[in-house]
Amino acid sequence: MKTTDALPLSQPPSPRTLAQPPRAANVTALPAPPALSGVASIQKTLAILEIVAERGGATAKEVSASLGYPLPTVYRLMQTLVQSDYLVHIRRERKFELGYKLHRLGVSLHRQIGVPAEVRTEIARLHRHARAAAYFAAYRGADVVVTYIVDSPAAPRLTPLSFGFHEAAHATAFGKIMLTGMSGEQRDQYLDEHGLPRLTPATITDRGELERQLETISRSQVAWEHEEFVPGMTCAAVGVRNSAGLLVGSVAISARADTIASRERDLERMLRETAAGLSRYFRSGSVRR
């Protein structure tokens, strides 16, 4: 079982107290580059960070070739990132890797979203009993965000679901649950902004059809989606409510469609039990069974 999308500690250390790792002998600081400004520079800088993260390190030439930016521009921006500790320059290998400050940002993000130990425990239990990838999603502002995932080689998560995923609520079971918790005005604003893009032949792209399905989900308190998000995969979700009866999250599972059809009743029971336990936690601070 792997739980790579949330920190293992319920109270991660404060970013202010994190010690910065010492620079290795083959890591060198670069001279301060000239100041850069403008929206274009910000966009290019973020694109460079994403490329370096995706590749596990890259040279300035590799980044330039991948993004199509002039090499001098890439090098200047990478120098700026080194000076700010968002990148480090590995002299021996002549490449750039992610810097230490990004770790502190990641810790802060996990702290803000805050997945309590009780939630992690219940999602892990759901994964074991359901023999399926298990998820917890919550509101973050106007977004529906995946905050915790437990999966394994035998029951892998859906691609591209990972910590922080906040798209395609119209096509995911947990997203549909969270849409039912919005007011009509909030849902209209959300769907106006995000749209209903077609992800598979089964994806609902008609606003009226989606609203009718959400009404059914509101009555049954369970959402199913069959190959609407990823071909060949089925998902189900049930909502988690606080002491005021408001939706604060949803628990979900996903599995291959050809293995889940005969287990829908059992899986729905497990989802309802998990959601009930977490609802008790959000009401009283304790999960009682």
Side-chain angles (χ1 to χ4, degrees):
M1 179 178 71
K2 58 183 179 181
T3 59
T4 56
D5 287 307
L7 296 181
L9 301 176
S10 59
Q11 293 184 338
S14 168
R16 294 194 181 97
T17 65
L18 288 174
Q20 180 156 314
R23 293 184 182 274
N26 66 330
V27 176
T28 183
L30 298 179
L36 295 170
S37 61
V39 173
S41 292
I42 293 173
Q43 292 173 333
K44 290 176 181 178
T45 300
L46 294 174
I48 288 169
L49 281 173
E50 290 175 357
I51 285 292
V52 173
E54 179 183 312
R55 298 190 175 194
T59 66
K61 288 184 179 180
E62 289 171 341
V63 173
S64 174
S66 177
L67 297 176
Y69 300 157
L71 181 58
T73 298
V74 168
Y75 195 74
R76 287 199 308 272
L77 291 171
M78 295 182 93
Q79 285 181 305
T80 299
L81 291 167
V82 168
Q83 293 298 319
S84 302
D85 283 332
Y86 289 107
L87 289 179
V88 294
H89 185 224
I90 309 301
R91 181 176 53 193
R92 182 183 304 163
E93 301 176 29
R94 298 182 180 180
K95 71 176 183 178
F96 296 83
E97 295 182 353
L98 296 181
Y100 309 118
K101 191 172 288 186
L102 291 171
H103 170 71
R104 285 181 276 174
L105 293 178
V107 168
S108 181
L109 174 61
H110 280 271
R111 179 191 299 280
Q112 291 173 29
I113 292 180
V115 182
E118 290 82 357
V119 173
R120 298 199 300 269
T121 297
E122 291 301 301
I123 298 303
R125 180 182 288 115
L126 176 62
H127 165 69
R128 291 194 303 271
H129 291 175
R131 303 191 305 280
Y135 311 82
F136 184 75
Y139 293 122
R140 192 184 191 208
D143 283 325
V144 176
V145 182
V146 174
T147 60
Y148 196 66
I149 302 173
V150 182
D151 65 348
S152 63
R157 73 190 63 186
L158 293 176
T159 302
L161 292 189
S162 60
F163 172 80
F165 183 87
H166 58 279
E167 299 155 5
H170 70 295
T172 60
F174 62 81
K176 291 178 183 181
I177 286 289
M178 304 304 287
L179 287 175
T180 66
M182 298 180 183
S183 68
E185 182 180 358
Q186 289 171 332
R187 189 157 60 242
D188 285 342
Q189 291 176 349
Y190 180 90
L191 295 175
D192 286 344
E193 179 179 352
H194 294 273
L196 282 75
R198 183 175 298 281
L199 304 176
T200 76
T203 303
I204 295 176
T205 58
D206 178 76
R207 193 81 157 253
E209 183 181 355
L210 177 63
E211 289 291 348
R212 288 190 291 273
Q213 187 180 86
L214 294 178
E215 290 177 5
T216 300
I217 291 171
S218 293
R219 292 192 296 270
S220 67
Q221 300 296 299
V222 61
W224 284 91
E225 67 88 359
H226 300 277
E227 304 187 62
E228 297 175 40
F229 183 60
V230 175
M233 302 297 292
T234 292
C235 303
V238 173
V240 173
R241 296 180 180 273
N242 63 13
S243 58
L246 300 176
L247 269 172
V248 294
S250 63
V251 295
I253 55 92
S254 69
R256 282 174 31 213
D258 59 358
T259 67
I260 211 171
S262 62
R263 304 172 56 215
E264 286 194 3
R265 182 174 297 180
D266 284 341
L267 291 172
E268 185 173 319
R269 174 183 54 79
M270 295 177 200
L271 280 165
R272 290 186 186 276
E273 290 175 353
T274 302
L278 288 179
S279 293
R280 285 191 292 271
Y281 166 74
F282 281 101
R283 290 196 301 267
S284 66
S286 175
V287 177
R288 301 185 303 274
R289 289 187 175 272

